[in-house]
Amino acid sequence: MELTGTILRGRTFEPVEGRVVVDDEGRIEAIEETAVESSDIVLPAFVNAHTHIGDSIAKEAGRGLSLEELVAPPDGLKHRLLRDASQAELVEAMGTPLRFMHESGTAACLDFREGDVAGVRALKEAADGTDVDALAFARGSVEAMEEGDGFGASGANDDDFEYERRATREAGKPFGIHAGEVDETDIDPALDLEPDFLVHMVHPEPDHLERVAETEVPIVVCPRSNLVTDAGLPPVEDLHERTTVALGTDNVMLNSPSMFREMEFLAKFSDLSAPDVLRAATVNGAEIADLEYGLIEPGRKARLTVLDGETPNLEGARDPVRAVVRRAGVDDVREVVTAG
């Protein structure tokens, strides 16, 4: 397989004209610089580093409710709706955002999966045949973690999670935890667990930022979600100076799982460069989950998104990386390659 156009190559996303050659095993064999007639833009497929796609059963529910009333376990609105849904209803509901993610260029999502073992199995069933790697960061029990791909803790103010952290480490799987979404009180106890990544970090104090720098723990930010729940906006520049920052879309009940929208919002409210934002949406999330894609480099799995550079939205763009980050959308997607 060959894809031609402007290729956003490597970790810097250097735009080069040419072709990407994919071998029979679905890996990138070569990136060849040469004159081509295509105006397409070829970029790595996105990795959505934090989702709750079970919330698809409650899209736009809960107007006027606080963050705690919406999502706090065990009796927030989403948890009540999840309990009331049958397994079949949950599977069908989760399939919808997964299909949308594929159509909009997302190769994988790191889903904090409610519902214990049954919830993990529901996600696997929903993802079957969708071409999206839906990784289940289980909640509820160690057994659910063993069934899934890691553990996704709600927050250190909800429980101490020492047992779950130890079991997840022994299983050789990643452990993530929400921290600093509502206030700063759960950040230190979350860091004490030595997690593989933190989610949100809207309210870090200077001492928390020092600890993040010392440990280099990756942070997943979800700015659209934080804005709509009145949590505030994360200090992404401060976080980016100290560690790896990845990007997620969070609850489907509040936001579409569009990485294009998330990138645009992050780029326009922060001072991060376009390449920094694109790394947050691709390779940074991939590395948290130890995935073999996220960059266009020889040897990587070929999980790629091809944009039509001649759509009315993209035609005439002078800087392809800025165009991808700040203006591209699902309507510009020509093809999503899942060969890898």
Side-chain angles (χ1 to χ4, degrees):
M1 176 192 299
E2 293 185 356
L3 303 171
T4 61
T6 298
I7 301 157
L8 305 187
R9 180 174 64 184
R11 195 170 289 268
T12 63
F13 305 112
E14 175 193 7
V16 297
E17 183 182 7
R19 62 175 61 92
V20 179
V21 181
V22 179
D23 66 21
D24 292 339
E25 296 181 354
R27 292 187 179 271
I28 298 171
E29 181 177 310
I31 301 147
E32 300 174 350
E33 291 191 55
T34 186
V36 296
E37 295 183 358
S38 172
S39 60
D40 289 348
I41 301 171
V42 185
L43 61 141
F46 303 123
V47 176
N48 191 335
H50 185 64
T51 61
H52 292 271
I53 65 169
D55 296 9
S56 189
I57 63 171
K59 291 175 183 174
E60 306 309 322
R63 180 171 59 180
L65 298 182
S66 68
L67 178 61
E68 183 174 359
E69 291 169 325
L70 281 170
V71 302
D75 293 319
L77 175 64
K78 65 170 269 182
H79 295 280
R80 299 197 307 272
L81 292 172
L82 286 169
R83 283 197 296 269
D84 290 342
S86 69
Q87 188 82 343
E89 289 170 334
L90 183 59
V91 169
E92 183 178 0
M94 288 195 294
T96 302
L98 287 169
R99 289 189 294 273
F100 174 82
M101 279 193 268
H102 172 67
E103 292 168 2
S104 57
T106 294
C109 65
L110 282 56
D111 195 68
F112 274 34
R113 184 81 292 277
E114 295 89 353
D116 213 292
V117 172
V120 172
R121 291 174 178 169
L123 178 64
K124 290 183 177 181
E125 183 178 349
D128 186 37
T130 65
D131 290 321
V132 174
D133 294 330
L135 306 183
F137 284 76
R139 303 166 79 172
S141 70
V142 167
E143 290 74 21
M145 175 274 295
E146 292 170 342
E147 184 84 10
D149 302 285
F151 194 90
S154 57
N157 286 344
D158 298 329
D159 205 336
D160 63 22
F161 294 108
E162 290 282 357
Y163 172 67
E164 291 85 357
R165 178 65 185 105
R166 184 167 58 253
T168 305
R169 184 182 288 112
E170 290 172 356
K173 295 180 179 182
F175 179 95
I177 185 169
H178 294 88
E181 184 177 12
V182 176
D183 57 35
E184 78 287 353
T185 59
D186 62 355
I187 297 177
D188 276 327
L191 287 166
D192 290 344
L193 291 167
E194 299 181 353
D196 294 293
F197 63 101
L198 299 174
V199 181
H200 293 304
M201 288 293 279
V202 178
H203 300 286
E205 300 289 343
D207 59 320
H208 301 133
L209 294 173
E210 289 181 13
R211 290 191 69 183
V212 166
E214 290 169 2
T215 60
E216 298 182 334
V217 58
I219 309 293
V220 180
V221 297
C222 309
R224 286 190 302 150
S225 173
N226 298 149
L227 182 69
V228 77
T229 60
D230 291 326
L233 291 173
V236 290
E237 296 90 350
D238 291 335
L239 296 171
H240 173 71
E241 287 176 4
R242 292 163 173 82
T243 191
T244 298
V245 173
L247 194 58
T249 60
D250 204 12
N251 302 74
V252 176
M253 71 186 298
L254 304 173
N255 296 296
S256 72
S258 168
M259 293 298 280
F260 287 116
R261 288 189 178 186
E262 205 71 40
M263 285 194 303
E264 180 183 8
F265 186 71
L266 176 59
K268 291 182 177 179
F269 90 80
S270 75
D271 291 329
L272 296 190
S273 70
D276 286 335
V277 173
L278 189 51
R279 276 187 288 273
T282 54
V283 66
N284 291 354
E287 289 178 346
I288 286 174
D290 198 26
L291 300 172
E292 294 185 77
Y293 41 87
L295 293 177
I296 302 180
E297 293 178 333
R300 295 260 182 173
K301 286 186 176 180
R303 302 299 298 271
L304 309 170
T305 298
V306 182
L307 304 184
D308 180 354
E310 293 185 343
T311 63
N313 186 38
L314 294 180
E315 186 175 11
R318 300 297 183 90
D319 183 329
V321 180
R322 280 177 60 88
V324 167
V325 167
R326 300 172 72 92
R327 69 169 50 242
V330 63
D331 291 341
D332 302 306
V333 175
R334 180 190 294 280
E335 180 182 6
V336 180
V337 177
T338 59

